Amino acid sequence: MSELEPTPAFRPSACPGLWRIVQALDGGISRVKLNGGEISAAQADAVADAAERFAVGVIELTNRSNLQIRGIGSEREGLIACLLAAGLGPTQMAGDDVRNVMLSPAAGLDRAMLFDTRPLARQILESLQSSPRFQQLSPKFAVQLDGGEALTMLQHPHDLWLSALSLDGQAWLAFGLAGCPGQDAALGAVPLAQGHALVLAVLNAFLDLATPEQARMRQLLATMGVEAFVARLPLTLRRDAAVRQWRRVAGDLVQPLGVYPQLQPDRAAVCAVAPLGRLSARQLRGAAQLAREFGDSSLRMTPWQGVLIPNVAVEQASAALAGLSTLGLLCDVSDPLARLVACTGSTGCAKALADTKGDALRLAPLLSRPDRVGAVHLSGCKRSCAMAHAAPATLLAVGPGHYDLYLHDPAQPGLGVLSGRDLTIEEAGVYLDTRLWSNIDD
């Protein structure tokens, strides 16, 4: 879609979209959903231009590999037109909300992958955005497609996850519901060729069975049970011990920073993280120029709120990484700020009880250990918007500059075990740096 069309009528939701610009304290928010997290350099330039022309120039990277423009003023139609002209909208207006398919940022490039997930992802995305029935799904309803990559996020819960496994020398897809491959057992598996049919079957069964109040898979399963749902799927599923006892093994990579070797022997990806999940228009435009100069003129956003430039010649990878660092992106695992995640905070969100981003900047220099990355989450309220899974350590705001500290425990629900009350940032920094790092494992 290249021309601005009348704003479509959307179901009620607090989630931003390309057309649904949600008002916040610092202005409007528009979410730009990317197919598999990928964006061309020209499209990145368009996002940067839109953020400067129609907003305050702040671009956020989400934990599901999308982009958000913050601080949008009154010229909202102009911003929408700019994004549509760049090809950043759905094939149908009503399909914008449901384009929620997360891939590895190294899809098609990763040495550990069992298959390239992108062709199947394109099939799923096309079905989601073109089917009027699937457009009834909640804007939060999400699918993950994991091809076995080492560079992948395995802890984010999804309504449906699919993960590659090898059975009898052939590629299959294990699947689970209302969870994630990094933690949950598979419910069954189908041959790779039936992956699209499996997704359609799950989505149709959900829409057949869920009440209007049951917007997410976990809500439906809480009333009818997993086995009853699986029994409704009109597919022959493999559910023997080889599938039910299979577990997705995660690699040692906690967060991608630096140079990442690709399957293609003469190519590498370079990875950096946006400080506290935000880019300026200048930074995004600069990353796009580096993608043109060193890569294939594309960028991939990561669920770690980062930027990946794929297909860089190995001998030029260091120069590309240096370019990202010069732009102000974080490229070194020893940078304390690289292990902090913070929500918008009270400067932009009415629900937040503290300036989480400002407090994160104060906390970073208090953490001296270089061997933990992405381990501390500062959340302005209990909604925990900045992270889709529990961090090893969470600071939950209870007032300006004051936080309760939670330590993640797999045996405990939610954020984990309450380990400190009403801490100042300085007290939290001392606690984390001197007492806890040896016990925190992401």
Side-chain angles (χ1 to χ4, degrees):
M1 299 174 60
S2 59
E3 298 181 359
L4 182 62
E5 300 183 27
T7 301
F10 286 116
R11 66 188 69 79
S13 175
C15 291
L18 191 150
W19 282 275
R20 184 192 293 111
I21 296 177
V22 175
Q23 189 64 29
L25 288 180
D26 56 350
I29 306 171
S30 176
R31 181 171 298 161
V32 183
K33 294 191 175 182
L34 307 178
N35 294 341
E38 189 167 355
I39 187 171
S40 71
Q43 289 174 326
D45 285 341
V47 172
D49 291 345
E52 284 184 329
R53 290 175 59 194
F54 305 106
V56 296
V58 174
I59 301 156
E60 293 182 324
L61 286 72
T62 77
N63 56 37
R64 295 193 187 275
S65 305
N66 294 313
L67 295 174
Q68 290 186 164
I69 298 175
R70 293 196 71 92
I72 300 168
S74 59
E75 295 185 55
R76 299 184 173 188
E77 296 299 319
L79 178 135
I80 295 168
C82 184
L83 297 175
L84 290 177
L88 288 165
T91 56
Q92 296 183 18
M93 288 189 293
D96 187 45
D97 273 344
V98 295
R99 293 187 295 155
N100 302 321
V101 180
M102 192 170 82
L103 308 181
S104 161
L109 312 174
D110 199 291
R111 293 181 177 182
M113 70 181 187
L114 294 183
F115 67 92
D116 186 347
T117 58
R118 293 173 296 173
L120 177 55
R122 285 192 288 269
Q123 284 185 289
I124 297 170
L125 281 165
E126 178 58 27
S127 295
L128 283 169
Q129 62 186 325
S130 65
S131 167
R133 186 162 204 242
F134 295 154
Q135 291 162 10
Q136 301 172 36
L137 293 167
S138 163
K140 293 183 179 294
F141 197 99
V143 177
Q144 179 174 14
L145 179 55
D146 161 41
E149 301 90 352
L151 180 57
T152 191
M153 169 59 75
L154 298 173
Q155 288 76 42
H156 283 7
H158 283 74
D159 296 276
L160 167 64
W161 60 262
L162 305 104
S163 192
L165 75 160
S166 180
L167 295 172
D168 306 321
Q170 301 295 318
W172 287 62
L173 277 172
F175 77 97
L177 304 170
C180 52
Q183 298 175 2
D184 301 327
L187 297 173
V190 298
L192 176 58
Q194 295 182 24
H196 185 228
L198 172 63
V199 173
L200 299 186
V202 170
L203 298 183
N204 277 308
F206 175 83
L207 290 171
D208 286 342
L209 299 166
T211 67
E213 294 75 28
Q214 294 170 331
R216 304 297 300 276
M217 183 66 75
R218 67 176 183 273
Q219 296 167 329
L220 172 61
L221 297 183
T223 60
M224 75 171 298
V226 173
E227 289 300 320
F229 183 90
V230 172
R232 294 290 296 264
L233 300 179
L235 292 172
T236 300
L237 304 174
R238 181 166 172 174
R239 307 191 73 195
D240 59 1
V243 174
R244 302 299 293 271
Q245 296 177 10
W246 171 84
R247 293 294 182 274
R248 175 60 160 96
V249 178
D252 295 330
L253 187 66
V254 174
Q255 188 187 74
L257 287 174
V259 177
Y260 188 75
Q262 291 185 189
L263 175 66
Q264 300 77 11
D266 59 342
R267 291 290 182 265
V270 294
C271 316
V273 172
L276 301 178
R278 283 190 172 178
L279 293 173
S280 66
R282 178 191 66 83
Q283 287 173 317
L284 181 57
R285 198 176 285 117
Q289 182 55 38
L290 291 172
R292 292 187 182 95
E293 182 179 353
F294 294 105
D296 60 3
S297 294
S298 73
L299 297 166
R300 299 187 185 190
M301 303 301 141
T302 81
W304 299 273
Q305 297 181 303
V307 176
L308 179 147
I309 301 177
N311 295 312
V312 177
V314 169
E315 62 271 17
Q316 294 183 305
S318 295
L321 191 66
L324 290 173
S325 180
T326 299
L327 289 172
L329 276 69
L330 307 175
C331 303
D332 189 342
V333 296
S334 66
D335 191 318
L337 199 56
R339 60 187 118 132
L340 299 182
V341 176
C343 67
T344 298
S346 57
T347 61
C349 177
K351 292 183 171 62
L353 300 178
D355 176 10
T356 52
K357 291 198 184 294
D359 289 339
L361 293 174
R362 292 168 51 208
L363 178 63
L366 303 177
L367 306 178
S368 62
R369 289 287 300 273
D371 57 346
R372 288 287 185 263
V373 179
V376 183
H377 171 208
L378 288 82
S379 185
C381 74
K382 293 182 179 180
R383 294 186 304 162
S384 191
C385 295
M387 289 195 77
H389 66 282
T394 299
L395 290 169
L396 179 62
V398 294
H402 288 255
Y403 295 81
D404 287 346
L405 172 64
Y406 291 83
L407 299 182
H408 179 57
D409 182 346
Q412 299 290 330
L415 300 177
V417 178
L418 180 62
S419 302
R421 289 186 179 274
D422 198 23
L423 303 177
T424 66
I425 285 297
E426 290 72 23
E427 290 169 339
V430 171
Y431 198 109
L432 290 167
D433 204 47
T434 63
R435 297 180 59 184
L436 295 177
W437 288 121
S438 62
N439 298 321
I440 294 179
D441 184 7
D442 198 19

